[in-house]
Amino acid sequence: MIKVGIYGASGYMGSEALRVLLKHPNVSVEWATSRSDAPIEHYHKNFYDRGLKFVRPSEAMPCDVAFFAIPTGLTTEVCQSFLKNGSKVIDLGADFRLNNKEEWENVYQKIHPNWKLSEEAVYGICELHRNEISKTRIIANPGCFSSSSILALAPLASERLIDFDKIIVDGLSGTVGAGSDLDLALHHPEITNNILPYNVVNHRHSYEIEQELSLLAGDTVIVNFSSCYVPISRGILTINHCFPTKALKRNELLDLYKEFYKDEYFIKIIDIPKDENASWNYLPYPWVAAVSATNFCHIGLDIDEKRNRIVVYSVLDSIGKGGALAGIQNMNIMFGLDEKTGLDFYGIHPY
Amino acid sequence: MIKVGIYGASGYMGSEALRVLLKHPNVSVEWATSRSDAPIEHYHKNFYDRGLKFVRPSEAMPCDVAFFAIPTGLTTEVCQSFLKNGSKVIDLGADFRLNNKEEWENVYQKIHPNWKLSEEAVYGICELHRNEISKTRIIANPGCFSSSSILALAPLASERLIDFDKIIVDGLSGTVGAGSDLDLALHHPEITNNILPYNVVNHRHSYEIEQELSLLAGDTVIVNFSSCYVPISRGILTINHCFPTKALKRNELLDLYKEFYKDEYFIKIIDIPKDENASWNYLPYPWVAAVSATNFCHIGLDIDEKRNRIVVYSVLDSIGKGGALAGIQNMNIMFGLDEKTGLDFYGIHPY
Amino acid sequence: MIKVGIYGASGYMGSEALRVLLKHPNVSVEWATSRSDAPIEHYHKNFYDRGLKFVRPSEAMPCDVAFFAIPTGLTTEVCQSFLKNGSKVIDLGADFRLNNKEEWENVYQKIHPNWKLSEEAVYGICELHRNEISKTRIIANPGCFSSSSILALAPLASERLIDFDKIIVDGLSGTVGAGSDLDLALHHPEITNNILPYNVVNHRHSYEIEQELSLLAGDTVIVNFSSCYVPISRGILTINHCFPTKALKRNELLDLYKEFYKDEYFIKIIDIPKDENASWNYLPYPWVAAVSATNFCHIGLDIDEKRNRIVVYSVLDSIGKGGALAGIQNMNIMFGLDEKTGLDFYGIHPY
Amino acid sequence: MIKVGIYGASGYMGSEALRVLLKHPNVSVEWATSRSDAPIEHYHKNFYDRGLKFVRPSEAMPCDVAFFAIPTGLTTEVCQSFLKNGSKVIDLGADFRLNNKEEWENVYQKIHPNWKLSEEAVYGICELHRNEISKTRIIANPGCFSSSSILALAPLASERLIDFDKIIVDGLSGTVGAGSDLDLALHHPEITNNILPYNVVNHRHSYEIEQELSLLAGDTVIVNFSSCYVPISRGILTINHCFPTKALKRNELLDLYKEFYKDEYFIKIIDIPKDENASWNYLPYPWVAAVSATNFCHIGLDIDEKRNRIVVYSVLDSIGKGGALAGIQNMNIMFGLDEKTGLDFYGIHPY
């Protein structure tokens, strides 16, 4: 059994890791921390009377692997003693996501506490870095929008089929993505009939997307990213617009995507024909609700042949495939397990 | 492996059975039927590209047990050939729920097609009928409101602590409870900011509740039940009001409930003290979202000592513990399995 | 023009008064206060760039009438200087709602700062106290649940048709009713798929309901009231259950209600026949969304002739007819205007 | 008084016109039609017991102006007899929106029934065509997304500040925009936790946007438009991305917009500084809920100076400023009234 700890489990990201790790057949959850003295049921009523207790951060003991879901910068500081004691580290936060120190410090507006750890960390999109993930002891788990958009555009970037400086991405996020801190904009009466643009230029996740797509393209890729909150809890959709550098057809693109992801269990390409006469064929694109609370990413696309634009839709759960569950997939790879272990459940319908 | 079929899987109830049975370690799903020729992904995008296909009803073969999720009356007709071939039957619908033929025909406004089957069927609340369930070949799975309200009031009925002719129950249902048939009242723009009373007197489920509570009480119990749709998808709450026949305290009642359900894994009594100074103690009652998409039922309560009224809250998922998942629990019992098998997952938070 | 001030307009109740008073043909809004230095658009984006500004509480000047939407107890203290200067007072809060001092102090857990004002105040349900309202200088505007439930049960109480000690009321509230203070239970991810019971016994509003129904009945009326939040913003529904003391039919009850409210413009009795064959006749009960953001109250009902129970549904907006707009209706009466003035708009559909 | 008729009032667009016209001080609503024999309350519970009745289409009489909210193509056929009898015509549908016949027939996949009427019609965005609107007898009221996007990009197009062939627009619509026809995708359980891409390339509204922006720019403008449904009822947001042809700052752009719309009462430019230290300054962009059920359009923007991209947000109500209420504003202009007449109410908060 892999001994696992979760450092920071009172929030949504840590508790999602906890929920799934508790049922993982090869895992023993040793501890989950909270700074508060409120019982776990206060934060997470789904854990009511299931024999679970938070420990204080000071009680977190070395283990085989520790997941971190704490504020930016803090993971770097806290994880070092775990690494020294032989624990592997999966950071569900942003400490190690960027390869360029200056950029990281500019984006996060602070001095990085230990850049060597960042250099050692592997960016945790297993579809692109599976081999390195299997060998590292530090995972930089990607941002939710980053995962969605990188997976959406990876085939086009690696095939160099699009204009690399005119990519535009709109990210729509459920409110779980904003975390559990109280905020007037997320107070139910304010948002339930609303759509809220935020971080509309220079979003932190855009640097991750640019980094990974540039690596794939072997070229500088620029991503213009904007985000909104919409009044759902779980799930995000990225709408990835780009301009093809040659004439393409929808079927060709779908084939490219299916080939690119043919070995990926958790990536599904929505290949539904646009036959308007088949009443049950309408809406041949991904639906957020189909992947909520799962480790799946659904990708669909279309091309405007007249105006020469591709649009790629990518849906995942911001704390599922876009967070804690991708972290567990990474853990499976790090420990040589079948990467589906503990993650192979169906989406819920209706969600 | 238990060979299972699902008769009627294009709707929400049948597909929920399918979702969980596909991952049940002792089950092999042999078939799931649909009358339509639309592929399964049309109805349930969570099953996209997972290798699943509907069969036509005529292709449904005998198996160890068949779940039925089809219109009232039809199950009785269809299930007979399955019974003849040795299949057990779990009816997720209403064909066999009442013990009194005249009442059934009055409530459902039709002639019952084969009352002998109804006499043979066991009402599928395992907390009350576990032993009979283990021996029967026909389960009448209860209505969602019925499950919630019966579980809420069973301890008070069996202890004869309340006035049996002044029980009032308000049932609040998510829209999944209404099924997948299109209806103006469930068209998103109509209901998203709305609450819709429906079936406000003489609700079909009230007869089941009366039947089961009367059995427990050894007396005639009358239940005044009314229902509303609220704009959530999953989950129901019943608010069960009754008048105690002697002075009681909240703690005594909580103790009674904990004792009554002490061996029940899927029933949790929310026992949070009403300490208004502990900021994290507020709202010491069940939350619908904590049990959505699970087989759990959370029950909480309070008593107005001044006015002498008990209120019991009971939450469950209308197609989970209030439907298909309770059916799977019943199946586990019928086949001698640990009844938690395949059902022991945590609720999702945030849902 | 009536010179009006709004004391406390950064919250939802005060701003709703402001929204409607700004368009009232006989009103000049002189000021609206906020303790914060954030501009009005921060709190209420609907007022963006409309030339409105908050003033500090210290800048609130005497006027013809002041609306108060501030914490319990504070109104009593602040309003006295306004009264001295000849302003009338409409308290949208709870300071003056109860007729019994001991009860008030028990319910609100504080010493009342000036009970004489409370004795002078008139309870602001104009359907019951129109004449006194026209003559008073202090209005105790009712609680939202109180308005809904009192209006629902007034005809039955005054005709003495029901058992007065077995009334049960479930109140379902949108989150606007909880106000604008941040709270984990109202954080969007927690509540959007949830139903939250709160104040389930001994709710403060139950004392108002008992007070007013007892006055109507000439007898002690006991009301067992419980409340839930449901994930809508505006609007409440009360479900009022009671046991008739003689045999009654639905049509008789509807006739009684129509007669009782025949002169009331803002009360509508939903009289839709229960003809199940007319597809457009289903759901013959009030809908919350139909009255959101209005001063209307829709009431509907049914009777279970078999079990002998009446259920009355009453919907209104918690800060509309259940709050600020009822306050404006009271103001119209106090100043001798047609009481519809400024309030006679249609509900929004779809809301 | 202007005698007004509404041809097609059982749907959401026609009933919104009806709701506001009934309170318009210079209007007498003569009739509103429905093909169904269900009473008006069946469709619109906000009109319950207000003395309103539908008439049959055959009973619609000539009047001063008729609003049409019926299927594409039908308006052209029906409106001709009204025109002959001297009625003006405001088409809330698509019959007259495009200037190019071939394009119209290609986009709407049918032969236009009378192109001369289309040539006579004026495109009803009064901010661009006020003078012509004042003189015409036929208004082509714009599509909701079209209004939002044209208003968002008009200043940039007329100043020729952006790359005209790389504009990308994401349109997010509430479900009211889909109309009242039942559809599985809009069945509440399917959409309440979902985001649904639809019409993702070659959207009909994109032709209107291209037409109007090209006129402003004096050049061919290409608009890449995609749309999603999000689970709110009212309101749309367009996210308009474009690439500036010269270096610009956020303040310069805001000044340009404020100048461009300085005489427009119903257009508000959200000019909130991005001062992250002022806690109440966050989210300095438009909010959909602030304009729901109004005739206002809120526009905000930002520029990514590093990557050289402008993003303009524009919110309006799809049947308000994006539909029926814009139609009423056009009517006011056609009849020489102050164009605010009957439309000058505040948004509702919280919506």
Side-chain angles (χ1 to χ4, degrees):
Chain A
M1 299 293 268
I2 305 166
K3 291 183 179 176
V4 177
I6 299 168
Y7 202 99
S10 61
Y12 297 150
M13 186 67 89
S15 75
E16 181 72 354
L18 179 59
R19 174 177 80 86
V20 174
L21 287 166
L22 284 166
K23 294 293 171 190
H24 191 294
N26 303 96
V27 160
S28 158
V29 178
E30 301 290 305
W31 46 262
T33 74
S34 165
R35 283 166 303 181
S36 153
D37 59 353
I40 193 167
E41 292 94 334
H42 169 61
Y43 293 104
H44 313 300
K45 296 220 175 196
N46 57 326
F47 291 145
Y48 189 82
D49 191 21
R50 302 294 287 271
L52 302 174
K53 279 190 185 171
F54 285 143
V55 304
R56 293 297 187 145
S58 59
E59 301 171 82
M61 305 297 292
C63 49
D64 295 323
V65 57
F67 288 74
F68 290 83
I70 53 179
T72 303
L74 198 53
T75 297
T76 309
E77 284 168 18
V78 176
C79 79
Q80 302 188 45
S81 69
F82 287 86
L83 288 168
K84 266 179 213 150
N85 284 297
S87 300
K88 295 179 198 288
V89 165
I90 297 175
D91 180 20
L92 302 175
D95 281 29
F96 310 129
R97 286 177 183 165
L98 298 183
N99 297 340
N100 182 302
K101 183 173 187 240
E102 194 182 334
E103 192 166 86
W104 192 95
E105 296 188 338
N106 204 29
V107 169
Y108 292 97
Q109 293 284 303
K110 58 180 68 174
I111 304 298
H112 195 283
N114 186 338
W115 190 251
K116 278 198 180 166
L117 294 181
S118 211
E119 286 174 337
E120 191 183 340
V122 175
Y123 192 73
I125 292 199
C126 67
E127 290 79 7
L128 303 180
H129 301 291
R130 186 171 279 114
N131 191 39
E132 300 143 273
I133 290 168
S134 71
K135 295 171 188 164
T136 191
R137 58 172 193 159
I138 310 179
I139 293 289
N141 220 57
C144 54
F145 281 134
S146 317
S147 292
S148 174
S149 188
I150 292 165
L151 291 168
L153 292 171
L156 295 173
S158 58
E159 294 298 317
R160 303 180 56 84
L161 290 170
I162 55 173
D163 189 349
F164 288 145
D165 63 356
K166 293 277 184 293
I167 297 170
I168 284 178
V169 183
D170 274 306
L172 312 185
S173 176
T175 55
V176 162
S180 53
D181 286 347
L182 301 187
D183 182 328
L184 181 58
L186 301 170
H187 191 52
H188 183 270
E190 299 293 339
I191 190 170
T192 186
N193 287 300
N194 216 344
I195 309 173
L196 308 184
Y198 73 101
N199 286 1
V200 305
V201 295
N202 221 15
H203 192 290
R204 289 168 172 187
H205 289 180
S206 58
Y207 292 88
E208 296 173 48
I209 307 170
E210 289 176 337
Q211 168 181 290
E212 295 298 311
L213 296 181
S214 295
L215 283 169
L216 283 165
D219 212 336
T220 300
V221 176
I222 293 173
V223 173
N224 295 285
F225 186 88
S226 296
S227 48
C228 290
Y229 289 123
V230 296
I232 62 173
S233 56
R234 290 268 189 151
I236 68 168
L237 166 71
T238 57
I239 314 173
N240 302 269
H241 303 273
C242 48
F243 298 102
T245 49
K246 66 172 197 176
L248 289 159
K249 299 215 166 289
R250 185 170 187 254
N251 281 345
E252 291 171 333
L253 285 167
L254 286 170
D255 287 345
L256 166 67
Y257 273 70
K258 287 192 284 187
E259 176 64 21
F260 192 90
Y261 288 121
K262 69 175 188 294
D263 298 326
E264 298 299 338
Y265 185 78
F266 290 111
I267 314 292
K268 298 290 182 192
I269 308 306
I270 304 296
D271 181 13
I272 299 178
K274 294 172 68 177
D275 172 1
E276 293 176 7
N277 296 321
S279 67
W280 43 267
N281 256 347
Y282 66 117
L283 298 185
Y285 309 105
W287 283 22
V288 165
V291 299
S292 293
T294 78
N295 193 46
F296 284 89
C297 173
H298 284 187
I299 296 172
L301 57 81
D302 216 329
I303 183 161
D304 186 338
E305 292 180 30
K306 179 171 176 250
R307 295 181 187 78
N308 203 34
R309 175 202 39 142
I310 296 169
V311 55
V312 186
Y313 292 92
S314 168
V315 295
L316 46 74
D317 188 313
S318 48
I319 57 174
K321 180 61 172 166
L325 304 197
I328 295 171
Q329 188 178 7
N330 288 327
M331 180 200 77
N332 286 340
I333 295 169
M334 293 166 93
F335 286 86
L337 300 173
D338 178 338
E339 70 190 62
K340 298 192 298 294
T341 314
L343 295 169
D344 187 18
F345 33 83
Y346 290 94
I348 291 161
H349 181 245
Y351 194 87
Chain B
M1 298 296 267
I2 305 166
K3 291 184 179 176
V4 177
I6 300 166
Y7 202 99
S10 62
Y12 297 150
M13 187 67 90
S15 75
E16 181 71 354
L18 179 59
R19 175 178 79 87
V20 174
L21 287 167
L22 284 166
K23 293 293 171 189
H24 191 295
N26 303 96
V27 161
S28 159
V29 178
E30 301 291 305
W31 46 261
T33 74
S34 165
R35 284 166 302 181
S36 153
D37 59 354
I40 192 167
E41 293 93 334
H42 170 61
Y43 293 104
H44 313 299
K45 296 219 174 195
N46 57 326
F47 292 144
Y48 189 81
D49 191 21
R50 302 296 287 271
L52 302 174
K53 279 190 185 169
F54 285 144
V55 303
R56 292 297 185 146
S58 60
E59 300 172 82
M61 305 297 292
C63 49
D64 295 323
V65 58
F67 288 76
F68 289 83
I70 54 178
T72 303
L74 199 53
T75 297
T76 308
E77 284 168 17
V78 176
C79 80
Q80 302 189 44
S81 69
F82 288 86
L83 288 168
K84 266 180 214 149
N85 285 296
S87 301
K88 296 178 197 289
V89 164
I90 296 175
D91 180 21
L92 302 175
D95 281 29
F96 310 129
R97 286 177 183 166
L98 298 183
N99 297 340
N100 182 302
K101 183 173 187 240
E102 194 182 335
E103 191 167 86
W104 191 96
E105 296 188 338
N106 204 29
V107 169
Y108 292 98
Q109 293 283 304
K110 58 180 68 173
I111 304 299
H112 195 284
N114 185 337
W115 190 252
K116 279 199 180 165
L117 294 181
S118 212
E119 287 175 336
E120 190 183 341
V122 175
Y123 192 73
I125 290 199
C126 66
E127 290 78 7
L128 303 180
H129 301 291
R130 187 172 278 112
N131 190 39
E132 301 142 273
I133 289 168
S134 71
K135 296 173 188 163
T136 190
R137 58 173 194 159
I138 310 179
I139 293 289
N141 220 57
C144 54
F145 282 134
S146 316
S147 293
S148 174
S149 188
I150 292 165
L151 291 169
L153 293 171
L156 295 172
S158 57
E159 294 297 317
R160 304 179 56 84
L161 290 169
I162 55 174
D163 189 347
F164 288 146
D165 64 356
K166 292 276 184 292
I167 297 171
I168 284 178
V169 183
D170 273 306
L172 311 185
S173 176
T175 55
V176 162
S180 53
D181 287 347
L182 301 187
D183 182 328
L184 181 58
L186 300 171
H187 191 52
H188 183 270
E190 299 294 338
I191 190 170
T192 185
N193 287 300
N194 216 344
I195 310 172
L196 308 184
Y198 73 101
N199 286 1
V200 305
V201 294
N202 220 17
H203 192 290
R204 288 167 173 190
H205 289 180
S206 57
Y207 292 88
E208 296 173 46
I209 307 171
E210 289 175 337
Q211 168 181 292
E212 295 298 311
L213 295 181
S214 295
L215 283 170
L216 282 166
D219 212 337
T220 300
V221 175
I222 293 173
V223 173
N224 294 286
F225 186 88
S226 295
S227 49
C228 290
Y229 289 123
V230 296
I232 63 173
S233 56
R234 290 267 189 151
I236 68 168
L237 166 71
T238 57
I239 314 174
N240 302 269
H241 303 273
C242 48
F243 298 101
T245 48
K246 66 172 197 175
L248 289 161
K249 299 214 166 292
R250 185 171 187 253
N251 282 344
E252 291 170 334
L253 285 167
L254 287 169
D255 287 344
L256 166 68
Y257 273 71
K258 286 192 284 188
E259 176 63 23
F260 192 90
Y261 287 121
K262 69 175 188 295
D263 297 325
E264 298 299 338
Y265 186 77
F266 290 110
I267 313 292
K268 298 290 182 191
I269 307 306
I270 304 295
D271 181 13
I272 299 178
K274 296 172 69 177
D275 173 1
E276 292 175 8
N277 296 322
S279 67
W280 43 268
N281 255 348
Y282 66 117
L283 298 185
Y285 308 105
W287 283 21
V288 165
V291 299
S292 293
T294 78
N295 193 46
F296 284 90
C297 172
H298 284 188
I299 295 172
L301 57 81
D302 216 329
I303 183 161
D304 186 338
E305 293 180 27
K306 180 172 175 247
R307 296 179 187 80
N308 203 33
R309 174 202 39 142
I310 296 168
V311 55
V312 186
Y313 292 92
S314 168
V315 294
L316 47 72
D317 188 314
S318 49
I319 57 174
K321 179 62 173 166
L325 304 197
I328 295 172
Q329 188 178 7
N330 288 328
M331 180 200 77
N332 286 340
I333 295 168
M334 293 166 92
F335 286 86
L337 301 173
D338 177 338
E339 70 190 63
K340 298 192 298 292
T341 314
L343 295 169
D344 188 18
F345 33 84
Y346 290 94
I348 291 161
H349 181 244
Y351 194 87
Chain C
M1 297 294 269
I2 305 167
K3 291 184 180 176
V4 177
I6 300 168
Y7 202 99
S10 61
Y12 297 150
M13 187 67 90
S15 75
E16 181 70 354
L18 179 58
R19 174 178 80 87
V20 174
L21 287 166
L22 284 166
K23 294 293 172 189
H24 191 294
N26 303 95
V27 160
S28 158
V29 177
E30 301 290 306
W31 46 261
T33 74
S34 165
R35 284 165 304 180
S36 154
D37 59 353
I40 193 166
E41 293 93 333
H42 170 60
Y43 293 104
H44 312 299
K45 295 219 174 195
N46 56 327
F47 291 143
Y48 189 83
D49 191 21
R50 302 294 288 271
L52 303 174
K53 279 190 185 171
F54 286 143
V55 304
R56 293 297 186 144
S58 59
E59 300 171 83
M61 303 299 291
C63 49
D64 295 322
V65 58
F67 288 75
F68 289 82
I70 53 178
T72 303
L74 199 54
T75 297
T76 309
E77 284 168 18
V78 175
C79 78
Q80 303 187 45
S81 69
F82 288 86
L83 289 168
K84 267 178 212 147
N85 284 296
S87 301
K88 296 178 199 286
V89 164
I90 297 176
D91 180 19
L92 302 175
D95 281 29
F96 310 128
R97 287 177 183 166
L98 299 183
N99 297 340
N100 182 303
K101 183 174 187 241
E102 194 183 335
E103 192 166 86
W104 192 95
E105 296 188 339
N106 204 30
V107 168
Y108 291 97
Q109 293 284 302
K110 57 180 68 173
I111 303 299
H112 195 284
N114 185 338
W115 189 251
K116 279 199 179 165
L117 294 181
S118 213
E119 287 175 336
E120 190 182 341
V122 174
Y123 192 73
I125 291 199
C126 66
E127 290 79 7
L128 304 180
H129 301 290
R130 187 172 278 110
N131 191 40
E132 300 143 272
I133 290 168
S134 71
K135 296 172 187 161
T136 190
R137 57 173 194 160
I138 309 178
I139 292 288
N141 220 56
C144 54
F145 281 134
S146 317
S147 292
S148 174
S149 188
I150 292 165
L151 291 168
L153 293 172
L156 295 173
S158 57
E159 295 298 316
R160 303 180 55 86
L161 290 170
I162 55 173
D163 189 347
F164 288 145
D165 64 356
K166 292 277 184 289
I167 297 170
I168 284 179
V169 183
D170 273 307
L172 312 185
S173 176
T175 54
V176 162
S180 54
D181 286 347
L182 301 188
D183 183 329
L184 181 57
L186 300 171
H187 191 51
H188 182 269
E190 300 293 338
I191 190 170
T192 185
N193 288 298
N194 216 344
I195 310 172
L196 308 184
Y198 73 100
N199 286 2
V200 305
V201 293
N202 220 18
H203 192 291
R204 288 166 173 189
H205 289 179
S206 57
Y207 292 88
E208 296 173 46
I209 308 171
E210 290 176 337
Q211 168 181 291
E212 294 299 310
L213 295 182
S214 296
L215 282 171
L216 283 165
D219 212 336
T220 301
V221 175
I222 293 172
V223 173
N224 295 284
F225 185 88
S226 296
S227 49
C228 289
Y229 289 123
V230 296
I232 62 173
S233 55
R234 289 269 189 152
I236 69 168
L237 166 71
T238 57
I239 314 173
N240 302 270
H241 303 273
C242 47
F243 298 101
T245 49
K246 66 172 197 176
L248 290 160
K249 300 214 166 290
R250 185 171 188 253
N251 281 345
E252 292 170 332
L253 285 167
L254 287 169
D255 287 345
L256 166 67
Y257 273 71
K258 287 192 284 187
E259 175 65 21
F260 192 90
Y261 289 121
K262 68 176 188 293
D263 297 325
E264 298 298 337
Y265 185 78
F266 290 110
I267 313 291
K268 297 290 182 191
I269 307 306
I270 304 295
D271 180 13
I272 299 178
K274 295 173 69 177
D275 172 0
E276 293 175 8
N277 295 321
S279 68
W280 42 267
N281 255 349
Y282 66 119
L283 298 185
Y285 308 105
W287 282 21
V288 165
V291 298
S292 293
T294 78
N295 193 46
F296 283 90
C297 172
H298 284 187
I299 295 172
L301 58 81
D302 217 329
I303 183 162
D304 186 338
E305 293 181 27
K306 180 172 174 249
R307 294 179 188 81
N308 203 34
R309 174 200 41 140
I310 295 169
V311 54
V312 185
Y313 293 92
S314 168
V315 295
L316 47 73
D317 188 315
S318 49
I319 56 174
K321 178 63 172 166
L325 304 197
I328 295 171
Q329 187 178 7
N330 288 327
M331 179 200 77
N332 286 339
I333 295 169
M334 292 166 93
F335 286 85
L337 300 173
D338 178 336
E339 70 190 62
K340 297 192 299 293
T341 314
L343 296 169
D344 187 17
F345 33 84
Y346 289 94
I348 290 162
H349 181 247
Y351 195 85
Chain D
M1 297 295 268
I2 305 165
K3 292 184 180 175
V4 177
I6 300 167
Y7 202 98
S10 62
Y12 297 150
M13 187 68 90
S15 75
E16 181 71 355
L18 179 58
R19 174 177 81 87
V20 174
L21 287 166
L22 284 166
K23 294 292 171 190
H24 191 294
N26 303 95
V27 161
S28 158
V29 178
E30 301 290 306
W31 47 260
T33 74
S34 165
R35 285 165 303 179
S36 153
D37 59 353
I40 194 167
E41 293 93 333
H42 170 61
Y43 293 104
H44 312 300
K45 296 220 174 193
N46 57 326
F47 292 143
Y48 188 82
D49 191 21
R50 303 295 286 272
L52 302 174
K53 279 191 186 169
F54 285 143
V55 303
R56 293 297 186 147
S58 59
E59 301 171 83
M61 304 298 291
C63 49
D64 295 321
V65 58
F67 288 75
F68 289 82
I70 53 178
T72 303
L74 199 54
T75 297
T76 309
E77 284 168 18
V78 176
C79 79
Q80 302 187 46
S81 69
F82 288 87
L83 289 168
K84 266 180 214 147
N85 286 297
S87 300
K88 296 178 198 289
V89 164
I90 296 175
D91 180 20
L92 302 175
D95 281 29
F96 310 129
R97 287 177 183 166
L98 298 184
N99 297 340
N100 181 302
K101 184 176 187 238
E102 195 183 333
E103 192 167 86
W104 192 95
E105 296 188 339
N106 203 29
V107 168
Y108 292 98
Q109 294 283 303
K110 57 179 69 173
I111 303 299
H112 195 283
N114 186 337
W115 189 251
K116 278 198 180 167
L117 294 181
S118 212
E119 286 174 337
E120 191 183 340
V122 175
Y123 192 74
I125 292 199
C126 65
E127 290 78 6
L128 303 180
H129 301 290
R130 186 170 279 111
N131 192 38
E132 300 143 272
I133 290 168
S134 71
K135 297 172 187 163
T136 190
R137 58 173 194 159
I138 309 179
I139 292 288
N141 219 58
C144 53
F145 281 133
S146 317
S147 293
S148 174
S149 189
I150 292 165
L151 292 168
L153 293 171
L156 296 173
S158 57
E159 295 297 318
R160 302 181 55 85
L161 290 169
I162 54 172
D163 189 348
F164 288 145
D165 64 357
K166 293 276 183 291
I167 297 170
I168 284 179
V169 183
D170 274 306
L172 312 185
S173 176
T175 55
V176 162
S180 53
D181 286 347
L182 300 188
D183 182 328
L184 181 57
L186 299 171
H187 191 51
H188 184 269
E190 300 293 339
I191 191 171
T192 184
N193 287 300
N194 217 345
I195 310 172
L196 308 184
Y198 73 100
N199 287 0
V200 305
V201 294
N202 220 17
H203 192 290
R204 289 167 172 188
H205 290 178
S206 57
Y207 292 88
E208 297 173 45
I209 308 171
E210 289 175 337
Q211 167 182 292
E212 295 297 312
L213 295 181
S214 296
L215 282 170
L216 283 165
D219 213 336
T220 302
V221 176
I222 294 172
V223 173
N224 295 284
F225 185 88
S226 296
S227 49
C228 290
Y229 289 123
V230 295
I232 62 173
S233 56
R234 289 268 189 151
I236 69 167
L237 167 71
T238 57
I239 314 173
N240 302 270
H241 303 273
C242 48
F243 299 101
T245 49
K246 68 172 196 175
L248 289 160
K249 299 211 166 294
R250 184 171 188 253
N251 281 344
E252 292 170 333
L253 285 167
L254 287 170
D255 287 346
L256 166 67
Y257 274 71
K258 288 191 284 187
E259 176 65 22
F260 192 90
Y261 288 120
K262 68 177 189 293
D263 298 325
E264 298 299 337
Y265 185 78
F266 290 110
I267 314 291
K268 298 290 182 191
I269 308 305
I270 304 295
D271 181 13
I272 298 178
K274 294 173 69 177
D275 172 0
E276 292 175 8
N277 295 320
S279 67
W280 43 267
N281 256 347
Y282 67 119
L283 298 184
Y285 308 105
W287 283 21
V288 165
V291 298
S292 293
T294 77
N295 193 46
F296 285 89
C297 173
H298 285 187
I299 295 173
L301 57 82
D302 216 328
I303 182 161
D304 186 339
E305 292 180 30
K306 181 173 174 247
R307 294 179 187 80
N308 205 32
R309 176 204 37 143
I310 295 169
V311 54
V312 186
Y313 292 92
S314 168
V315 296
L316 47 73
D317 188 314
S318 49
I319 56 175
K321 179 62 173 167
L325 304 196
I328 295 171
Q329 187 178 8
N330 288 327
M331 179 200 78
N332 286 338
I333 295 169
M334 292 165 93
F335 287 86
L337 301 173
D338 178 337
E339 70 189 63
K340 298 192 299 293
T341 314
L343 296 169
D344 187 17
F345 33 84
Y346 289 94
I348 291 162
H349 181 246
Y351 194 87

